[in-house]
């Protein structure tokens, strides 16, 4: 089978596509024939050794996938041929991947592999952030930075399901058009418009109740300065590369909260609440209220290009590798 390998830390072009022996499941594990694996920003960071999780070298990147069970290890009830979605952390950018059977969820008949692969991390993160950590309520206003990206667009959709007014901020008209299609009520192009002035104008000077920030860098401070009374500022990620520093008096002046979001640890520490979040979202999908957007599909051999597109802000919604 073929797999993308990271033999040394470095940029996407240092990844290699290699042939390796078929995988064999251990007790409690399955081997999955990967049909689609989603690309997430942490994949870009992990291969450069810039992420909190540091798998030992060499490894195959790729955190989540959908596919068909090929072989099941001792004590596993999932039969070969079962269509599943799985969160694996690493190992998804390959023709075969190893997963704990407990990390696999059977896919409903007819579910599209690419859409299923692209769901768990983005929507898990944004549900935990917006519902659980921010407690966003109907009638409130949420500003989403990097709103056309993977977690950003999921936050836009979840905000609309909850009955909030959603302001989407992104770096191009094309990206903002995607945000409007997915429900954003108003938009800000932060490469051409003054972020603070536009937030003020769009909220009658009151500021948003919730700010969802997966970008960091230069946008964080002007956004936090604009937050409303009792606002909740969600610290989700730093795609801009720079971890911002914020003067804490700003929190005092607005009675505002800085709220950290770490979905991976939430899912590990509070699995029942995480399962309840996914059950709620499955209901929303069934009602047609969430429509995960896969904007582009790449061959396994083009994985480095997919990661470069993500690192250079070229991606909207989710992108997937189809081995
Ligand atoms: N806390 C958690 O539990 C958790 C979970 C998953 C992901 N994350 C983090 O959330 C962030 C977004 O992840 P994602 O998978 O949604 O990524 P993504 O699809 O690439 O979205 C990131 C967005 O950030 C913006 N951006 C601004 N400056 C950028 C730069 N220099 N390079 C790349 N993008 C830039 C881009 O939008 P514009 O061009 O419109 O600015 C882009 O759409 C990452 O930092 C990731 O590590 C956190």
């Amino acid at each position: 089978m073929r797999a993308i390998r990271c033999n040394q830390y470095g940029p996407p072009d240092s990844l290699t596509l290699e042939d390796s022996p078929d995988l064999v499941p251990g007790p409690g594990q399955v081997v999955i024939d990967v049909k689609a694996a989603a690309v997430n920003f942490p994949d870009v960071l992990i291969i450069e050794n810039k992420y909190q999780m540091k798998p030992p070298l060499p490894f195959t990147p790729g955190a989540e996938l959908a596919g068909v069970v090929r072989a099941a290890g001792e004590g596993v009830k999932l039969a070969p041929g079962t269509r599943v979605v799985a969160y694996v952390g690493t190992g998804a950018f390959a023709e075969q991947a190893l997963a704990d059977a407990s990390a696999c969820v059977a896919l409903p008949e007819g579910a599209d592999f690419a859409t299923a692969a692209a769901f768990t991390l983005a929507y898990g993160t944004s549900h935990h952030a917006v519902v659980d950590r921010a407690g966003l309520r109907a009638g409130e206003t949420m500003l989403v930075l990097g709103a056309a990206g993977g977690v950003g667009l999921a936050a836009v959709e979840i905000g609309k399901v909850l009955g909030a007014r959603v302001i989407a901020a992104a770096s191009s008209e094309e990206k903002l058009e995607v945000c409007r299609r997915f429900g954003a009520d108003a938009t800000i192009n932060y490469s051409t418009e003054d972020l603070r002035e536009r937030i003020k104008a769009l909220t009658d000077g009151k500021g948003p109740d919730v700010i969802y920030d997966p970008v960091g860098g230069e946008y964080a401070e002007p956004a936090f300065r604009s937050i409303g009374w009792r606002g909740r500022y969600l610290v989700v990620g730093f795609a801009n590369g720079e971890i911002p520093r914020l003067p804490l008096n700003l929190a005092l002046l607005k009675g505002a909260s800085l709220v950290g979001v770490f979905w991976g640890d939430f899912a590990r520490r509070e699995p029942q609440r995480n399962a309840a979040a996914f059950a709620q979202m499955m209901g929303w999908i069934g009602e047609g209220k969430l429509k995960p957007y896969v904007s582009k599909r790449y061959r396994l051999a083009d994985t480095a290009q997919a990661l470069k597109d993500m690192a250079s802000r070229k991606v909207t919604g989710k992108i997937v590798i189809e081995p």
Side-chain angles (χ1 to χ4, degrees):
M1 72 111 176
R2 296 176 312 150
I4 294 292
R5 299 294 281 167
C6 177
N7 293 304
Q8 67 207 34
Y9 295 120
D13 278 332
S14 58
L15 295 171
T16 53
L17 178 60
E18 297 177 12
D19 276 316
S20 54
D22 283 353
L23 299 175
V24 178
Q29 292 183 319
V30 291
V31 173
I32 299 168
D33 278 327
V34 180
K35 300 295 182 191
V39 181
N40 293 287
F41 203 84
D43 301 324
V44 177
L45 301 175
I46 264 181
I47 61 166
E48 301 207 34
N49 201 19
K50 292 180 180 166
Y51 195 58
Q52 58 254 31
M53 191 178 100
K54 298 181 190 301
L57 292 169
F59 69 96
T60 293
E64 55 182 347
L65 60 91
V68 179
V69 173
R70 176 190 180 86
E74 199 189 310
V76 173
K77 294 207 177 99
L78 280 171
T82 310
R83 292 153 44 92
V84 291
V85 60
Y87 187 82
V88 291
T90 57
F93 298 157
E95 288 173 340
Q96 296 173 14
L98 210 49
D100 286 338
S102 59
C104 297
V105 177
L107 275 180
E109 213 36 60
D112 165 53
F113 285 119
T115 310
F119 185 71
T120 307
L121 186 57
Y123 284 80
T125 298
S126 289
H127 188 286
H128 172 51
V130 173
V131 177
D132 188 19
R133 301 294 286 133
L136 181 70
R137 294 181 289 270
E140 288 192 316
T141 297
M142 173 166 68
L143 168 69
V144 181
L145 306 179
V151 298
L153 204 56
V156 169
E157 281 196 293
I158 290 168
K160 290 313 298 173
V161 176
L162 296 175
R165 176 170 180 252
V166 176
I167 302 173
S171 64
S172 73
E173 265 317 304
E174 183 207 348
K175 288 186 174 185
L176 292 174
E177 179 49 36
V178 172
C179 298
R180 281 190 285 270
R181 257 200 287 140
F182 281 80
D185 300 284
T187 55
I188 301 175
N189 183 334
Y190 48 42
S191 6
T192 58
E193 297 177 302
D194 183 281
L195 185 57
R196 286 196 71 189
E197 287 304 318
R198 281 286 288 158
I199 295 173
K200 217 175 185 178
L202 289 170
T203 59
D204 293 329
K206 291 195 202 96
D209 302 290
V210 172
I211 298 180
Y212 182 101
D213 182 6
V215 181
E218 64 192 306
Y219 307 121
E221 186 170 335
F224 194 43
R225 282 186 185 280
S226 310
I227 203 164
W229 176 247
R230 285 183 179 271
R232 289 88 80 200
Y233 192 98
L234 293 164
V235 181
V236 180
F238 315 104
N240 195 249
E242 187 202 327
I243 298 179
R245 292 168 182 274
L246 295 171
L248 285 183
N249 66 314
L250 301 177
L252 180 155
L253 291 170
K254 299 289 180 66
S257 310
L258 263 176
V259 185
V261 175
F262 187 178
W263 175 73
D265 251 30
F266 163 69
R268 268 186 293 278
R269 291 167 186 263
E270 304 181 54
Q272 283 171 349
R273 289 182 76 155
N274 187 47
F278 277 93
Q280 183 173 46
M281 289 193 285
M282 288 304 145
W284 290 344
I285 288 183
E287 294 165 30
K289 291 177 174 168
L290 296 182
K291 299 186 187 77
Y293 174 47
V294 176
S295 64
K296 197 165 172 187
R297 297 158 192 247
Y298 298 72
R299 297 177 314 148
L300 186 61
D302 297 328
T303 299
Q305 187 58 51
L307 293 172
K308 284 194 278 186
D309 287 350
M310 177 154 279
S312 56
R313 296 169 92 162
K314 290 196 183 121
V315 168
T316 53
K318 299 291 301 176
I319 56 175
V320 298
I321 310 294
E322 293 184 323

